[in-house]
Amino acid sequence: MSDAIKHECGIALVRLLKPLQYYKDKYGTCFYGLNKMYLLMEKQHNRGQDGAGLANIKLDIGPGHRYISRRRSNTSTPIKDIFAQINERFEAEFAKSPEQMDDPEWLKLNLPFTGELFLGHLRYGTFGGNSIENCHPFLRQNNWKTRNLVLAGNFNMTNVDELFQQLVDLGQHPKEKADTVTVLEKIGHFLDEENDRIYYAHKDEVGGKKSMSPVIEEKLDVGRILRESAKKWDGGYVMAGLIGHGDAFIMRDPAGIRPGFWYQDDEVVVVASERPAIQTAFNVKWDQVKELKPAHALIIKKNGSVSEESFSEELPRKSCSFERIYFSRGSDRDIYVERKELGRLLVPRVLESVNHDIENTVFSYIPNTAETAFYGMVKGLEDYVNVLKTELILAGKRSLNAEEVRRILSMRARVEKLAIKDAKLRTFITDDIHRDDLVSHVYDVTYGAVRRGIDSIVLIDDSIVRGTTLKQSILRIMDRLGPKKIVIVSSAPQIRYPDCYGIDMAKLGDFMVFRAAVALIKERFMDNLLDEVLEKAKAQMELPMEQNTNVVKEIYAPFTTEELSAKSAELVSPDGILAKVEIIFQSVENLHLACPDHKGDWYFTGDYPTPGGNRVVNRAFINYMEGKNVRAY
């Protein structure tokens, strides 16, 4: 993606099902679980570079010993920093007692992160600050093991105000109004209630409070806790929790918006946001990794039993299509195929744009995430050229000489790498204030591959959000090559609406296509439409959230996709550019053809999977019209 946006988060969980001595005997290390967590987190570092965190729980540790460990970091290399801190502690202890390095019992009793249950998190800060206090996992502490809660997730709730008020109505005093805090305290409240329920149900048959702890551990109904906690949640989420005595859970939202995968054998239970991370870290096949069902929780009890339980009514599945287009790593088998198909499906419109003149067109991509879609586009071009070759040969029949046949057979699409991303500069673009100054230097250009005044350039990107990089960098440097025409191709459809489920696309005014729609409205003297939609949006705010509809769709209704694309190309064309600029977007229909199982397309269509999405888009429009440069959630 040429535009820098933050998105999602990543989680990783490992539960060791055997004693530590087992892993020492089989794999030669007592740190098998810790090593696997490092791999799982590194293989998902694309999901979060603002911060990271790691927590560990030890099972059956006696009083007087720590049984929960946690490290968090918001440095520029947070995963490396966390594990360096852990290793420093280990090295210091082993320097004093080297013989203890191979003693699992001593390690578990004396060193942190030597327990059986691990939870890791990678953070992209789509909301809130980037202080270490914003990094997951979060911890709710108590002197009773079964009341301790560790929580981390990939989520955004659209109704934080309502959830906050519910906590206040319960008599709590939340320290801040943030979805992470409200979710933590909500689950914590019902965790406390479950403890109380079991205690009062069994206190007469158990001798003393001390004897109650094992009873609570055994009978704690994690499914009940999650069902009660999630009743009013509106958002997209996959979140994982650890309870102090050793139970764990991972839950996925009812529409399946956010991704989650798990694997189990007789040694481990593993959870991650992306399937390839599990495949790589544990060397297992694609079909051995299961997808967590929407509206279900994977519950891992302290005794090692694993179950997948429903905690809410399942909604129509709307898995995030942006995961397929851009966010998830392309090493997933299905995602790789889908991204290639997204590129291939664009070929007919690309050929039409350049009048089928492949001899005088150079095809390339905007690195690096558009590369797979580019392969698909090249495959589609090859198919077209092969058909053309066949037609020419058949038309020529016996009249063709050897030279003419060689010329026909040598026909192919001209494929070059024209844009080269400066990875070091890219890492510094972290906020809106500094992005514009640096964005013009993110890409370098390859000289000599384009014939001045003769060739056109086709560049594929995976998506276009703001258009900032196009205007300030890519189109400028491509124009230096002297092409007749520059065609920017997006493997995603037009982004028209904000996301509210974990992607940093919250302000309507940031979207290139929204700005194009407003420009067309003003050009055609339709300003009253903006005022009418504003009044409707304000009226929606007076309704219960469940009754909200997306009135912002009316802003786009008067215009065709082609009109919006043409105006977008005009808006992002830099002053003084000589080449003609055209933008081609993927159609929503082709998106669904390429990604048939992931039809979460609200950023393109405005069809939000939860009522809170409609509330957010209406509020975003009100903010835009009132000149408020703030988020709508």
Side-chain angles (χ1 to χ4, degrees), residues 156-164 166 230-237 315 500-501 536-551 608-619 632-633:
N156 249 53
M157 297 297 177
T158 68
N159 60 334
V160 176
D161 291 345
E162 180 184 356
L163 297 176
F164 179 86
Q166 287 176 0
K231 281 183 177 178
K232 296 293 184 179
W233 290 354
D234 186 291
Y237 52 88
L315 298 173
C500 52
Y501 305 117
K536 291 180 180 179
K538 289 181 175 179
Q540 291 286 310
M541 295 295 105
E542 303 300 321
L543 299 174
M545 187 174 69
E546 293 75 16
Q547 297 179 23
N548 272 215
T549 59
N550 180 0
V551 301
Y608 288 89
T610 73
N614 292 328
R615 173 64 62 93
V616 166
V617 68
N618 292 329
R619 186 182 294 122
Y633 59 88

Side-chain angles (χ1 to χ4, degrees), residues 417-471:
K417 187 170 184 178
L418 297 181
I420 303 169
K421 187 167 74 171
D422 190 327
K424 293 181 180 179
L425 276 176
R426 188 71 163 100
T427 61
F428 290 108
I429 302 177
T430 57
D431 55 66
D432 292 338
I433 296 173
H434 299 99
R435 180 183 296 117
D436 290 351
D437 289 337
L438 291 175
V439 74
S440 61
H441 303 287
V442 169
Y443 294 94
D444 293 324
V445 63
T446 301
Y447 292 95
V450 176
R451 296 172 297 177
R452 289 184 173 274
I454 300 174
D455 293 333
S456 296
I457 292 174
V458 173
L459 277 178
I460 189 170
D461 197 356
D462 41 49
S463 56
I464 305 169
V465 185
R466 302 180 183 92
T468 307
T469 310
L470 284 178
K471 184 167 187 173

Side-chain angles (χ1 to χ4, degrees), residues 503-523:
I503 304 173
D504 186 19
M505 299 192 305
K507 304 171 188 175
L508 277 170
D510 286 347
F511 302 150
M512 177 185 69
V513 178
F514 177 79
R515 297 197 305 271
V518 172
L520 288 172
I521 287 171
K522 293 182 179 297
E523 283 179 6

Side-chain angles (χ1 to χ4, degrees), residues 515-527 530 559 624-625:
R515 297 197 305 271
V518 172
L520 288 172
I521 287 171
K522 293 182 179 297
E523 283 179 6
R524 300 181 186 183
F525 305 104
M526 300 165 58
D527 299 63
L530 297 171
F559 313 113
Y624 171 80
M625 291 295 290

Side-chain angles (χ1 to χ4, degrees), residues 140-153:
R140 191 177 192 263
Q141 294 179 290
N142 196 287
N143 267 354
W144 280 266
K145 279 187 176 182
T146 52
R147 293 177 186 260
N148 281 276
L149 177 63
V150 182
L151 187 73

Side-chain angles (χ1 to χ4, degrees), residues 159-180:
N159 60 334
V160 176
D161 291 345
E162 180 184 356
L163 297 176
F164 179 86
Q165 189 58 47
Q166 287 176 0
L167 293 175
V168 173
D169 293 341
L170 289 170
Q172 293 192 19
H173 188 90
K175 63 182 181 180
E176 61 179 294
K177 190 184 289 187
D179 55 5
T180 309

